[in-house]
Amino acid sequence: MVDSVSSIRPGLWIALVCVALAVLLAVVAARDARRRKEKAAERKDIIEKSMAGVNPEDSSEIDVVWGEALKGIENLQTQLKEDIRSLEEKLAVEREEVQSKTEALKNLARQNRVPITLYELYEGMRFFNRKSREAQKADMDWHNKVGITQIDVVETVQVVPGHEIYFTLEGQSFLLVGSHHRYSRLSFIELSLFDQTDSQLVTVRVRPDQRGQYLIADAVISMKAGPWIQTFLACRAKMDVRHREVSLLAEHRDVQQLKEKFSLNAESDGISSSTT
């Protein structure tokens, strides 16, 4: 027998050893699988009893219940983190889109001079009630040419001084609210426009120069799309025409004054008679 064993070639020995190891590993794996299955069944039974309200009998069962609870909490935290991460990504995309559209609307409003239009209307109407009848008539003549047919001003007595101006533009009722703010050396006027349903259409902040002739800075705080935009763009165009007319009239008056001061009409008549 010794001779037969010694006659076995080395390759066959290696094969036998591998088979033995494979059988041993299979036995160990089967045993481990059986133990895991038994433990899983035990854990399931303990958890089911705990959910049914049965208190754990010993520390091992308590460890199982707490371990399952902690595992559930970890899974919940992982899911919440994923949900939060997804929400943050969606919010970042939405924020970028909203900011882009907001900046576009702000630029559009400034390009079409919405802040200066509201400021000029506010400055032109806020002292309307204080003026004499003749001055009010002259103001209404000017405002009628830009489409405004009715003006009613209410001066507020709140902490922040300002005015509430009710007016009718192209047959539509509007409310223009102005409030004056001063912080140290910085001052500005906040103007808000409302329609007849008290819906806020636009809010701007303007910083005029000391004489109030032009704006040093302006900003659009909020704006709501709607047909009111076309109404105010048309009003802006009429205001530009009216400003140009006033400028031309002033220039014409200057020319007339020069002619009167230097008697250019009489001089031209004398020159023409001498030449004949």
Side-chain angles (χ1 to χ4, degrees):
M1 182 176 180
V2 173
D3 294 338
S4 62
V5 170
S6 61
S7 64
I8 298 176
R9 288 177 292 180
L12 186 58
W13 274 110
I14 295 174
L16 291 175
V17 171
C18 290
V19 170
L21 289 175
V23 172
L24 181 61
L25 291 174
V27 172
V28 173
R31 186 189 61 185
D32 291 343
R34 184 177 65 254
R35 288 179 178 177
R36 286 196 298 268
K37 187 175 181 180
E38 291 174 354
K39 288 182 178 180
E42 292 177 0
R43 290 174 62 87
K44 183 179 180 181
D45 183 58
I46 293 172
I47 293 170
E48 288 179 351
K49 289 193 298 182
S50 174
M51 294 179 64
V54 179
N55 294 326
E57 297 179 357
D58 51 25
S59 60
S60 61
E61 292 187 358
I62 294 176
D63 292 340
V64 170
V65 174
W66 274 103
E68 190 66 22
L70 292 175
K71 183 179 179 181
I73 292 175
E74 290 177 357
N75 293 335
L76 179 60
Q77 289 178 341
T78 302
Q79 183 62 41
L80 289 175
K81 289 180 180 179
E82 292 178 357
D83 293 343
I84 291 175
R85 188 181 302 109
S86 177
L87 182 61
E88 288 177 345
E89 293 175 355
K90 292 180 180 179
L91 183 60
V93 173
E94 183 180 5
R95 181 186 295 111
E96 183 177 357
E97 182 180 357
V98 170
Q99 287 178 345
S100 177
K101 292 181 179 180
T102 299
E103 290 301 321
L105 287 175
K106 287 183 178 180
N107 293 334
L108 185 62
R110 296 190 66 197
Q111 290 173 5
N112 288 279
R113 296 178 293 170
V114 172
I116 186 64
T117 299
L118 294 177
Y119 171 70
E120 289 181 357
L121 291 176
Y122 177 75
E123 286 296 309
M125 294 188 293
R126 65 176 178 143
F127 295 124
F128 183 79
N129 290 348
R130 298 185 185 182
K131 297 181 179 181
S132 63
R133 290 185 177 180
E134 291 77 9
Q136 288 183 358
K137 184 178 182 304
D139 276 3
M140 285 307 304
D141 290 340
W142 189 93
H143 285 98
N144 286 339
K145 291 184 179 181
V146 299
I148 297 176
T149 56
Q150 186 176 357
I151 300 174
D152 185 18
V153 182
V154 178
E155 296 187 20
T156 61
V157 292
Q158 302 173 356
V159 176
V160 179
H163 301 78
E164 296 179 356
I165 303 174
Y166 298 85
F167 63 99
T168 302
L169 175 61
E170 301 296 343
Q172 303 177 47
S173 298
F174 295 97
L175 167 62
L176 181 59
V177 178
S179 57
H180 297 243
H181 302 268
R182 181 179 296 275
Y183 300 99
S184 184
R185 297 181 180 180
L186 178 65
S187 62
F188 66 90
I189 304 173
E190 183 172 289
L191 302 171
S192 298
L193 183 69
F194 299 82
D195 62 11
Q196 57 186 0
T197 64
D198 290 334
S199 177
Q200 187 170 340
L201 304 177
V202 61
T203 296
V204 302
R205 290 177 180 175
V206 296
R207 185 183 178 191
D209 67 321
Q210 293 182 351
R211 296 183 178 181
Q213 296 180 347
Y214 64 91
L215 298 183
I216 300 175
D218 62 82
V220 180
I221 306 303
S222 66
M223 188 173 70
K224 179 180 179 181
W228 71 271
I229 297 177
Q230 295 295 331
T231 302
F232 273 79
L233 290 181
C235 178
R236 176 71 260 172
K238 293 178 181 179
M239 291 172 69
D240 290 340
V241 172
R242 183 56 181 160
H243 287 324
R244 184 54 182 162
E245 289 177 350
V246 172
S247 177
L248 290 175
L249 288 174
E251 293 177 4
H252 177 70
R253 284 194 296 268
D254 292 340
V255 172
Q256 290 298 115
Q257 289 178 359
L258 287 174
K259 291 170 65 176
E260 293 176 357
K261 288 180 179 179
F262 292 93
S263 302
L264 294 181
N265 289 335
E267 182 179 352
S268 61
D269 292 341
I271 293 175
S272 61
S273 60
S274 62
T275 55
T276 57

